[in-house]
Structures are given as structure tokens and as C-alpha cells.
Amino acid sequence: MSTAPTIPPTVTIGTTATAPIDLSLAIEGMTCASCVNRIERFLRKADGVIDANVNLATERATVRFDPTVAGRTELVKAIEAAGYDVRPDPAAADAAAASTGLTDQTDAETLERARDLRDLGIRAAVSLAIAAGIMAVMFWPGGLGSSMEDINKLTLWPATFVVFWAGGTFMRRAWTAARHRTATMDTLVAVGVLAAWSYSVVVTMWPMLVMHAGIEPATYFDSAAIIVGLILAGRWLEARARSQTAGAVKALVGLQARTARLVRGDEEIDVPIEQVQPGDLLRVRPGEKVPVDGIVTSGASSVDESMLTGESLPVGKAAGDEVIGATLNTTGSFVFRATRVGRDTVLGQIVRMVQAAQGSKAPIQRMADAVSARFVPLVIGLAALTFAVWLVFGPPPQLTFALVSMITVLIIACPCAMGLATPTAIMVGTGKAAEAGILIRGGEALEAAGRVDTVIFDKTGTLTLGRPSVAAVEPLNATDGDADALLALAAAVEVGSEHPLGAAIVAAARDRGLPIATVADFASITGGGVLARVGEAQILVGNARLLRDAGIDPEPLEASAAAIARDGQTPVLVARDGAALGVIGISDPVKAEAATAVRQLRDRGIEVWLVTGDSRVVADAVARQVGITNVVAEVLPGEKQERVKALQAAGRRVAMVGDGINDAPALAQADLGVAIGTGTDVAIEASDVTLVGGDPRLVVSAILLSRRTVRVIRENLFWAFAYNVLLIPVAMGVLYPFVGILLDPALAAAAMAFSSISVVLNSLRLRRADVRPGAGGAAGMARTAELPVTG
């Protein structure tokens, strides 16, 4: 399985082992990839920090640290030392409280971002308006009946206001970076703007000094003001576009009910969802959303769970059944007891997974990080070189040409687009996947999914429904009792088992009202079955291997077992006191979507395998139904992992799809572990991707979306690098000797803003991808892949 750099599970201080903590911090002031690298560097140098990951698109830092050494205060100080601010997080104080609603933090961040966006828009609009006024005055001085000296003095004050009010943020951050002997994108803007403004002030206040030096007394107040205005306008457009990439989390949070109907004795009252506590009794009426997760205590209904599972048909619910928050009650009314609330609900966990994925990095981003870390110092060096070359070899007035060219290089070379290329695509891609019920853990998993060329499916619960039921009970002979006696005996042993086949046997016995005896000396044999003592008899329930290992010949049951297996059922053999007793056939129907999923994978050149612990005959029967030709049956959990290793050794990129505890080793070994969301927590924890609804066609959707997202990332990185490679030489003036073109600083500011916006807009194209399972999703993904590249 593709994993991030190894992080120790615990940190040992002296003799005390303490589990590390992950903390997410909202950061103000980041503008480019160099900001990201700087904050990560300062955080990783802080005492107690194990790892730090900063995401420009989400404007958040995720820090793993040892709580016995550092805390939030120390982390905030490290970020501030890097020259950036941490936003107050109103939800942080009660983040651990299960009763906190999912909307708290999302609403707070939305309001904060809206305020920032409004402030940015005001500063940009004022700056551009003043710049336009300055340009009008400077280009038509005769119309005002004033000399150029008077015009310069008139425009000095509004230009100064723009530079230090609207552009003050650039100056402050550049100064902070300078104090720490480093440079950021703000340094480039601040130096460029201050150079234009300072030179213009000297020309305005002491024009004779400039004229005596043989320099044309030209001012650049208009350039200084419009550079600030255009950069701020570009950031406003960029921020506005970036806010759309976070739509998936907002949509998920919006699924939650706002209120719940609390049952207190004979009274029922509506309360805000935040006030619901575990153990509360809640009533859900027809047409209402289930507010939180819980267990039905009375009543019955059908619940539409399509928002989580993708299953279009409502699911029947009665006493004892689990209900999930944010699903929709359709017909009846029922009362349930809350078990998980707030961030602990299934919806809350999904939101956290999506947020974590959107804040992660993909390996492909490392190239951009490596370049951007050295980019700003390189640009400053190129700007200085440009100034020196023009000052010595440029046409008169040399100083003017040198100054304009230097400013243009500084302004045009912002690495914003490089910093946004990967995170914006990951945000949109993982968010789009979440809408379809595909939960991707992060950028590494997203990138790994796109490289998959082999998919291994488990059988039970993956290609089959995972709801096995007893279809046949065949005792060996009448003297050993009838079918009910055989079923009751097997159920007595299987009561202590957690295996789905055992649960099916127990359920069948209870449905028939059979007495289930108490057992002793229960033991579970991995990959074989179970055994226990029922009274004085030793009972074994499992496969032929279990019987053979116990010295029992399964041959008397083989004919019945083979006939059951040919029908696609799983034969479970029963033995008593060393003798074969009978066979129970358990049916687990194949999912209707399984054959489509296999066909779609094979159509795209992906090799498909079925690896299962079930018998060869059953495995072959299921494989025939779904169209799989590569079948490995009767394997133990460790052997599944070995099969994955063998394919990897042959150069294959392997995805393992499973749902059970026995699949966890193979899921962890695979390049991409895909867990069925209806499976066990262990399998889900070991996976890179979770399919919430269990539809195997989502495997196809995940791979296609991953490939499309990685393609968009590559497009973004290409345009980001190409922009700088092509335009920095133009800004330096390499075209001037040939065609007389010298790039204006204002155009440079506009081009810089456009490069960032184009990257974000290109990422937003992923929102048009149709990732629904089935042919429609695949076709929709293909259509999206054909869209023209923006930028």
C-alpha cells in the first residue's frame, strides 16, 4: 500500500510512551509555494514536532507532535516566527466534544473567509480606481493646465496611500521575512512596488537632482498603484475560485439535520442537533432526516440511505436495527437511541476523512516544492542581474530601462501557480469522489489509484452481498438425526464465532425456533472453522481442511458438498466425535453490479483476480457469474497477502478490494487498499480508499477519477512552470534587442494573476466529472477527460 514517510506510532520520553497528536491550524498570509515550504520548515524545527504538512489551497497546516513536549501555543509561535498568522479556531476548543455539531467549524471558517474575501475585494477595487485616476491625470496633464512637476506632486499622495494601505500587507510580510533572513513572494512584490514608488518620490521631490545626473525625470506612481491593485484583484479572483474547491465538505455537512425530536417520558420536544447526547431517545417522523447514529428501539419504517450507500431502494428498519445520521426516513415513524453524535457519527467521520484528504499532498507535488523552495532567491538574483545589465548596456535612459525591467521580473515571477497546481486538484478530486461515496485518504492514495493495472477482489461481501443465509441442510444419514438437529448442533458451536457464515447458521436456527445448547472449550481456527464441546460431544464446523487436520475423513460428505458448491453455495461441513455428520449449504448472492464492474475494468486493460478462502468449486461458480478468469481459492489470510506480493514482484500495480478482517494484511500490502464500507473497521483502517456503499463499480470510478485528477495536476504543473520559463526572460528584456518589446510592470502583474487563476479553473473542471457507478459514470469521466485545458 502506498504510504507516507514513516511516522513513529508513539514518542518515548524517558520511560513514558505518549501517542502523538494531530492538530490542524488555519493560517493567514500564505500566497505561494515558498510560503508553504517556509512554514513547514519552521514547524519541523520546533521541539516535539514529528511531521508537518501545509496546504496552500486549504490554507491549513496539519501538525503531528508529541503533546508532552509541545502544544498549540508552541506551534503557533513557530508559525508566527516564520512570518505568518494563525486564525482563531472557534471550534478547536470543543473539537473533542462529541456533542459539537458538524456545522460549527464549517460555518465559522466560511464567515472568516467571506470577511477576508470582502476585505481583499475592497482593497483591490480602491487601488484600481485610484490607479485609473492617476493614469488619467498623468496621460492628459495638458487638460488640467498644470506642469508635469505639479502633476507628480498631485499623484504622489494617492499613490502613497495605495502602496502603504492596500499594499501594506506585502510590506509587513516582506519585512518579517527579511528579519528571518529569507524571502517570499511578498518580498518580490514589496521590492518591486517600493522601487517604483521610491524612484518616483525622488523624481517628484528633487527633480533637479535626477536631471543633473542625466536621467529623464519620469515617475511610476501609476505603475506602483496598478501593480498593487492588479495583484490584489488577482488574489481576490483566485480566492473566490478556490472557495469553490471546498464545496464537497460544505455539501456533506449540509446533509446533517439541524434539529432532533427528543423523547422525554410522555413529552417530545425539538432541540438543536448540537444538544443531542449519546443515550437520548429520539423520534423520527415520515419525511424527516435521521439526526444522529443510533439503534431503533420501537416502531418500524423504511430509510433512504442513498446519500451514504448509493442504494436507491429504501432499507427496512425495525427494533434492533442500526440507523445512520443524515439518512432520510420515508414512511413510518420510529424511536431510536442515539449512540454516536456530532463528529463521531458516520457522516462526521466521512467529513474528517475528506478534510484530511483535501489537506494532503501527492508525491507529484514534491517536484514543485523543491523548485519553489529555491525560486524566490533565484528570482531576486535574476532581477539584480537584469538591473545591472540594463544599467550598463541598455539604451538611454539606462536607469529607467534597468528599473522597469527589474520591477517587471520581480512582479511576474511569483510561484503562486506552482503552489496551487496540486492541492487545488486534490481538493476537487477527493471532494468529487466523496459525493459518489468514494472516500480517498489522501493525495498519495489518489495518485496510486491512477497507476493500478491489477485488481484483486475478495468474494464474500465484496462481489457478493455479504448477507449469507442457509439454503440447504443435508445430514449424512437419518440415524444421525434430521436436518433441524444438524442445524441446531452447528448453531450451538457458531454462537461464539464472528464469521458471517456462522452468523447465518445461528440466524437460521433461531428463525426455525430451534434450541441452541451451551458449549464449552470453544476455539476458532483461522481459515478453517470452529470447534467446541456440546455436552460430552466434540463438534467441528468448518471446511474439509479443518476436518482433515483433526484426523477426520471428509470423503463421506464430498458428494453433497460438491453439489452444493456447484449451485454457487458455500458448503459448511459438520463432524461429531471424529465422524462426519452432514453439510450445510450457505448462499450469498452475487451483487448485481459485480459483472459490470469486472467488465469495465477489463475493458480498460486492468487485470482482474478473485482470491478467496472459499472452496474452489464455489469460487469458480462466482467467477463465472462475474466474468473473472484468474481465480485463487481456499487461501488463508496470509496467503492473500502473498498473492499480492507475487503480483507486485512481477511488476504489477495492485489494488486489493475486500471487506473482512482476513483481508486486512492484503489491503495493507497492496499498492492501493480498497475497503468496502459495509465491512469491518479493521479492513477500512488498513485501506487507502473506502467505498461507502459497497458497489464494486465504484472501484472503476475511483481509478478513472484518480487518473483524471493526476492528469489535471500534470497540466497545472506544466502551465505553472511554462509560465515562468517563458515570461521571466521576456520580463528581463531578451526580446528588446530584436523586436523592441519591453514588458510593462502592470502587464506583468496581470499575467501573474492570470497564471494562478488558470490553474484553479483547470482544477475546477473536475467538478464536471460524472463519477456515479456504472456506464454513465465511466462515460462522464471520459467526456471530462476530453475537455480542453484551461490556462
Side-chain angles (χ1 to χ4, degrees), residues 270-638:
D270 289 328
V271 298
I273 191 73
E274 293 80 10
Q275 294 182 15
V276 177
Q277 299 292 328
D280 285 347
L281 288 176
L282 305 170
R283 179 177 294 280
V284 183
R285 295 170 295 189
E288 292 181 340
K289 287 184 177 180
V290 178
V292 296
D293 299 356
I295 302 295
V296 177
T297 58
S298 63
S301 184
S302 294
V303 177
D304 180 358
E305 297 182 339
S306 59
M307 54 76 62
L308 284 176
T309 66
E311 176 59 53
S312 58
L313 295 177
V315 180
K317 300 292 181 181
D321 290 337
E322 183 180 18
V323 289
I324 304 298
T327 56
L328 181 65
N329 184 32
T330 59
T331 54
S333 173
F334 62 88
V335 175
F336 75 98
R337 189 175 300 279
T339 56
R340 295 186 296 266
V341 302
R343 291 176 174 83
D344 293 333
T345 61
V346 170
L347 180 62
Q349 294 172 41
I350 290 174
V351 169
R352 285 203 304 275
M353 286 185 69
V354 173
Q355 287 175 329
Q358 291 186 337
S360 66
K361 286 187 179 182
I364 197 173
Q365 188 175 348
R366 292 171 188 156
M367 176 178 62
D369 289 346
V371 172
S372 60
R374 299 168 177 82
F375 193 76
V376 172
L378 174 64
V379 169
I380 292 175
L382 289 175
L385 176 64
T386 300
F387 181 84
V389 169
W390 277 106
L391 190 61
V392 175
F393 301 105
Q398 287 98 329
L399 180 60
T400 299
F401 274 84
L403 184 66
V404 170
S405 298
M406 181 193 74
I407 293 170
T408 305
V409 171
L410 290 170
I411 297 302
I412 206 168
C414 170
C416 298
M418 282 188 284
L420 292 168
T422 300
T424 52
I426 289 177
M427 283 185 70
V428 181
T430 54
K432 192 68 183 177
E435 292 175 10
I438 305 168
L439 304 183
I440 301 174
R441 283 193 180 272
E444 290 201 56
L446 190 70
E447 192 172 331
R451 296 194 299 264
V452 165
D453 57 22
T454 304
V455 174
I456 297 177
F457 283 102
D458 175 45
K459 181 183 74 68
T460 305
T462 304
L463 293 176
T464 65
L465 292 175
R467 296 194 292 269
S469 60
V470 172
V473 182
E474 299 183 7
L476 184 58
N477 52 65
T479 60
D480 287 324
D482 59 13
D484 283 352
L486 178 64
L487 183 61
L489 198 61
V493 180
E494 291 285 7
V495 165
S497 171
E498 295 182 352
H499 197 283
L501 300 183
I505 292 173
V506 174
R510 287 175 174 164
D511 288 344
R512 299 187 188 188
L514 303 178
I516 299 178
T518 302
V519 303
D521 302 329
F522 173 85
S524 177
I525 310 301
T526 302
V530 293
L531 56 92
R533 297 192 68 83
V534 179
E536 297 300 320
Q538 178 76 33
I539 309 297
L540 280 75
V541 182
N543 55 27
R545 179 191 298 160
L546 176 68
L547 269 63
R548 291 193 190 97
D549 291 345
I552 302 171
D553 184 8
E555 193 275 334
L557 303 176
E558 287 180 353
S560 296
I564 287 172
R566 281 193 296 272
D567 291 336
Q569 302 171 20
T570 301
V572 177
L573 282 57
V574 184
R576 180 176 61 193
D577 290 337
L581 195 62
V583 182
I584 299 173
I586 299 179
S587 172
D588 186 10
V590 172
K591 292 177 179 178
E593 311 88 2
T596 301
V598 172
R599 185 182 69 254
Q600 289 177 344
L601 289 169
R602 294 177 64 179
D603 288 347
R604 285 160 180 80
I606 298 174
E607 191 174 283
V608 184
W609 289 70
L610 172 61
V611 180
T612 177
D614 216 330
S615 69
R616 162 62 66 175
V617 179
V618 174
D620 286 341
V622 171
R624 281 193 302 272
Q625 292 183 59
V626 300
I628 296 177
T629 56
N630 303 307
V631 182
V632 181
E634 300 178 2
V635 296
L636 297 173

Side-chain angles (χ1 to χ4, degrees), residues 67-148:
T68 64
V69 178
R72 189 178 191 276
T73 302
E74 287 75 18
L75 301 181
V76 170
K77 286 181 179 178
I79 294 171
E80 290 175 343
Y84 302 87
D85 298 320
V86 177
R87 298 177 189 269
D89 192 348
D94 56 0
S99 60
T100 302
L102 294 176
T103 57
D104 291 352
Q105 183 173 350
T106 305
D107 290 346
E109 289 184 356
T110 300
L111 290 172
E112 183 70 23
R113 289 178 185 271
R115 282 194 294 268
D116 290 347
L117 194 63
R118 184 172 60 250
D119 179 69
L120 199 56
I122 291 172
R123 289 175 182 267
V126 171
S127 300
L128 290 174
I130 292 176
I134 293 175
M135 292 178 68
V137 170
M138 295 187 71
F139 279 112
W140 292 284
L144 298 177
S146 302
S147 66
M148 199 65 214

Side-chain angles (χ1 to χ4, degrees), residues 453-454 645-654 671:
D453 57 22
T454 304
K645 285 183 179 180
L647 287 168
Q648 289 173 327
R652 311 294 295 184
R653 298 280 188 171
V654 182
D671 297 285

